[in-house]
Amino acid sequence: MEGVDVEAMTRSDTILRVEELQTTFNTDEGKVRAVRRASFSVERGKTLCIVGESGCGKSVAARSILQLVQHPGVIEGGSIHFDGPRGAVDLTTLDPYGAEIRAVRGNDIAMIFQEPMSALSPVHTIGQQIIEAIQLHRDVTRSEAYARAVTLLDRVRMPDPEKRLASYTFELSGGMRQRAMIAMALACDPQLLIADEPTTALDVTTQATILDLLRELQREQDMSLILITHDLGVVAEMADDVAVMYLGRVVESGPVGEVFANPHHPYTRGLLASIPRIDPERAHRRFAIPGNVPSAMTEIQGCAFQDRCPFAIPGRCDVDRPVTLEIGEAHGVACHLFDGDDAASPEALPWLGVEDDYAPSHVGVDDEVQESVVLDVREVDVHYPVHGGLLQRRIGTVRAVEGVSLSLRKGETVGLVGESGSGKTSFAHTLVRLHPPTRGVITLHRDGREPLDVVHAERGELRNLYRSVRMVFQDPYGSLDPRLPVREVIGEPIDLLTDVTRRERNDRVGDLLDVVGLSPDIATRYVHAFSGGQRQRIGIARALATDPQVLIADEPVSALDVSVQAQVLNLLERLVAERGLTMLFVSHDLSVVSSLCDRVVVLYAGEIVEEARSTSLYRTPRHPYTEALLAAVPVPDPSVKRNELPPLQGGVPDPANRPAGCAFAARCRYATERCRDERPALREVGDARVACHHAEELELVGASA
Amino acid sequence: MTNYLLRRLLYMIPTLIAVSFVAFAVITLPPGDYADTYVLAARQSGQVVTPEQEQAIREFYKLDRPWIVQYWDWTSSIITRGDFGFSFQWDLPVNELIWPRLAMTFVVSFSSLMLVWIIAIPIGVYSAVRQYSVGDMLATIFGFIGLAIPNFLFALVLMYVSFRYFGASVGGLFSPEYINAPWSFAKLGDFLGKLWLPMVVLGTAGTAGLIRVVRANLLDELKKPYVVTARAKGMRERDAIRKYPLRIALNPFVSSLNDVFVQLVSGATIVSVVLSLQTTGPLLLEALRAEDMYLAGSFIMMLSLLTVVGTLVSDLLLAWLDPRIRFR
């Protein structure tokens, strides 16, 4: 009797139970085992977060649920029990092209994706796509579907829903696109929503609003949610349960509080340790898991994590595949450290390895020592003309950067922070003359040589500029030529900008590879063979090739996994210290900037709104925008209630149509009449520069960590 | 959008002026003129042409004037009276010569083009959706063979086959008895019976090429995330492919429609010569050889005009199909 009751209970509480799922891609090169006997389950009305680095099979596992794995991928084994409105069914038994699975897709289980720009059709309006989703599963007329689409957009807090139905994806901002995607997924009131990295491509502020929205919708609709992410901050904020995936297997799972408070698996512990923390004092060392996720084509004997695990037990971890052990209430871990008689206690384990032995000991440049200015920017504007009309005459101006003054001192790392559209990248590009500034003076000071006028530099001088100021780009895939071997990629600036022989150049490339922690042997290989983190190291080596004074890093880690981010940040920090480099670090993520930069400059709508030393900026922000940016950073601790500030809505104003007063006024909680009418000047407030009328009166909330 | 259209129409004017100028200059560039060609032909047939007679011909056709004046006369009469000049060789106004030819060329080209699209697009889609299947391999083999065989050779083979095994009179678009007959159902039937040969010959290479284009474009689009989204909504595979990736895969195809416009009137010259079709290709070839300058110039003008118009139409069509272009 008791057994029956328990079964009935679990049936109704668990909406989806995935057991021993195996999904394999049979490619010409061999079998790619993306999912290797993964098991997890989702409780009704709860959120399961699946977390892990890229290449761990999270997305493939999620797509397997709806049988969306395309040829040559096949579900080779396991079961997916879905307890839907039409009774329980094992989804793996359904024909992937059949009517039964189609009745589940978009109806009982809906899915949203990472890049709403490419996941929505570029040639159909938002309305066409949402209405189609409704009519696929509901027998309603077009006008009824239209009315429902308006309701849906309204429910995802899309401003002006009727107008947006007629919009195309490219007319919307990233956040609005993701809202449209969510509205489409909600079209038929699904019982389970699968969200595959829904905020990875978004700004921190937009991420906060989207996560907020998902949480609310879930509560309103009593919907279950599978959220795939590599960001443990997001997990801490969203999850009821967590499943940590590594190379196609779930290595640890359990309730979020339990997993964060009492992590067992060395991989879970490594991921937790490598989360970027808001840490302007640099009290903590930045941890990183050494090595990379092995290719999904490797046949693994024993535990997949053994080669990155410092605790691997020879003769055991490389022989037997660890089984999942119950170590607490619904808390399971698949690791040999905890089975058998000699089971280890997680408290006794040290946290997973530091990347190298460099510890950031100095906190930037001493206040006392007035170091010499290397790059001096005075009142720079960057404007782009807007053309239109019959004769394509100039009809407007995009003011990407307005009146920015900033000086970078020798050996200093300065963070440049703002949302997309704030003018960060335009400004960074101007410093290396990728765009000429419309107005202003930029001077590069060099040891024992004439200062260089960056704005008017020509030919020879420009060569000197390119040699002295180098960039590291955001996308390590797009910024390295796939047709060149690594040696040529790194050697190109040496050939172009210096006069050394080929032999010397190749020696230098070898040294550079060594400096960035890669083997000099890889010089003859092509970049496609490397992971994102390795590519970014190659990008850094290329930036260092001409022995520059200034490094401009444009979001160098935002495309990387958390565990790899720490490796690259450690490397940059070490290089800056060892080589006496000056670095401008551009990012939208304040937590990344905090532990690296001496000073932070916050940019909004092309203007500096706050500039302060990191330590004071994070503790006592003086501009409401800085406060909002800090509040948007997810706190990687499920026990800490997030900052009570409502997430920042809307976006940066159109730079072609800037409001008259303070550019931030429309989104500011504290804005007054004066803010809307009068443009605040950047002025000294305490030890910071702030552009806010109310900087003195406001008591703003700093970072909670 | 209206602005865009107006701007494009304005741009057409200088383009056409430049084209007509260059076309006329190129035609008059080779040494000698129609009078030389005429005298040469006359002498070969044993007639005696005195220098005075030669000079009279030259004056009659105004060939002794500077070419810039000839150019001006020609273009101004086109614009004011729609008069394309006079063909020396045929002794007829150019207008009477080219319009029937253009109509015939249009019919032949248009029907072969339709054949190409009707065959190539579905095969291309099949090849992409079932990549590396047996059907895809066969389509690929057929495609490459079709691309590799020279059209004129294929025309000769087909002519031989239809003559040898079906006893059909070959060449031309009409049987001898209908050439000068007025239009009737019998003549139409005869015409349609003749039309298949140039249709097939002209269509093979195009079909082969288009299969590859459709296949490659669609393969790119099939990998896009929005296809997964469409499936995740619960769409039927067939509907999902037709509505999303196929729609977008046809964009590059639309943007190459301007070439099609030119093909429609230029007529494949070599094949037309081999099959002795009454299309524009052979006529233009002869006109150029005989230095029949107004006829040749008019053809070139016509082709240029259609290129310019075709480009405009395909751009407008593309803007209508693809909002990303429309909104820019």
Side-chain angles (χ1 to χ4, degrees), chain A residues 618-653:
Chain A
Y618 287 89
R619 211 174 300 120
T620 50
R622 292 180 191 276
H623 195 286
Y625 183 54
T626 317
E627 181 192 43
L629 284 180
L630 283 170
V633 178
V635 183
D637 182 348
S639 61
V640 173
K641 191 80 195 85
R642 70 176 279 129
N643 202 318
E644 279 307 316
L645 284 181
L648 204 53
Q649 300 292 341
V652 180

Side-chain angles (χ1 to χ4, degrees), chain A residues 122-126 128 166-172, chain B residues 323 326-327:
Chain A
V123 298
H124 296 87
T125 62
I126 302 298
Q128 287 169 340
S167 303
Y168 292 94
T169 47
F170 54 85
E171 297 178 274
L172 304 180
Chain B
R326 183 158 75 236
F327 283 77

Side-chain angles (χ1 to χ4, degrees), chain A residues 676-698:
Chain A
R676 281 180 272 271
D677 298 337
E678 188 189 328
R679 196 153 160 175
L682 191 65
R683 61 205 167 88
E684 303 264 336
V685 178
D687 54 354
R689 290 202 291 160
V690 190
C692 174
H693 293 307
H694 305 294
E696 287 85 355
E697 310 132 46
L698 295 175

Side-chain angles (χ1 to χ4, degrees), chain A residues 106 119 129 132 137 168 390, chain B residues 7 229 232-233 243-244 326:
Chain A
Q129 296 181 64
E132 176 190 67
H137 300 289
Y168 292 94
L390 185 59
Chain B
R7 199 163 61 238
T229 309
K233 277 179 179 178
K243 184 160 178 190
Y244 294 105
R326 183 158 75 236

Side-chain angles (χ1 to χ4, degrees), chain B residues 233-273:
Chain B
K233 277 179 179 178
M235 284 183 91
R236 246 175 238 277
E237 186 71 8
R238 165 195 295 259
D239 296 342
I241 288 175
R242 202 195 54 228
K243 184 160 178 190
Y244 294 105
L246 181 59
R247 160 83 191 272
I248 298 170
L250 288 181
N251 279 358
F253 166 73
V254 171
S255 67
S256 65
L257 275 183
N258 58 335
D259 290 347
V260 168
F261 270 77
V262 179
Q263 283 170 29
L264 279 180
V265 291
S266 69
T269 308
I270 299 177
V271 172
S272 301
V273 171

Side-chain angles (χ1 to χ4, degrees), chain A residues 135-197:
Chain A
Q135 290 192 313
L136 275 168
H137 300 289
R138 296 276 185 276
D139 190 16
V140 293
T141 63
R142 225 193 123 71
S143 60
E144 284 167 340
Y146 179 87
R148 174 151 177 81
V150 175
T151 318
L152 286 167
L153 281 189
D154 197 46
R155 197 184 292 166
V156 298
R157 327 261 184 280
M158 180 81 93
D160 216 351
E162 295 213 30
K163 194 174 150 211
R164 290 294 159 237
L165 280 180
S167 303
Y168 292 94
T169 47
F170 54 85
E171 297 178 274
L172 304 180
S173 68
M176 290 215 278
R177 274 178 219 141
Q178 197 56 286
R179 280 167 204 271
M181 185 88 218
I182 295 171
M184 192 167 88
L186 296 178
C188 301
D189 295 320
Q191 302 201 314
L192 172 65
L193 179 67
I194 303 172
D196 188 356
E197 305 252 12

Side-chain angles (χ1 to χ4, degrees), chain A residues 319-383:
Chain A
V319 179
D320 293 333
R321 202 166 65 94
V323 291
T324 304
L325 309 162
E326 284 288 323
I327 46 166
E329 179 86 25
H331 187 176
V333 63
C335 177
H336 284 306
L337 286 174
F338 309 105
D339 62 11
D341 305 326
D342 51 345
S345 133
E347 288 78 29
L349 293 178
W351 289 97
L352 247 191
V354 199
E355 218 279 306
D356 44 48
D357 51 9
Y358 172 76
S361 52
H362 85 303
V363 176
V365 185
D366 268 326
D367 276 332
E368 271 57 58
V369 189
Q370 271 298 326
E371 287 276 3
S372 54
V373 169
V374 178
L375 195 63
D376 196 27
V377 182
R378 291 263 160 262
E379 295 287 317
V380 159
D381 289 353
V382 181
H383 294 172

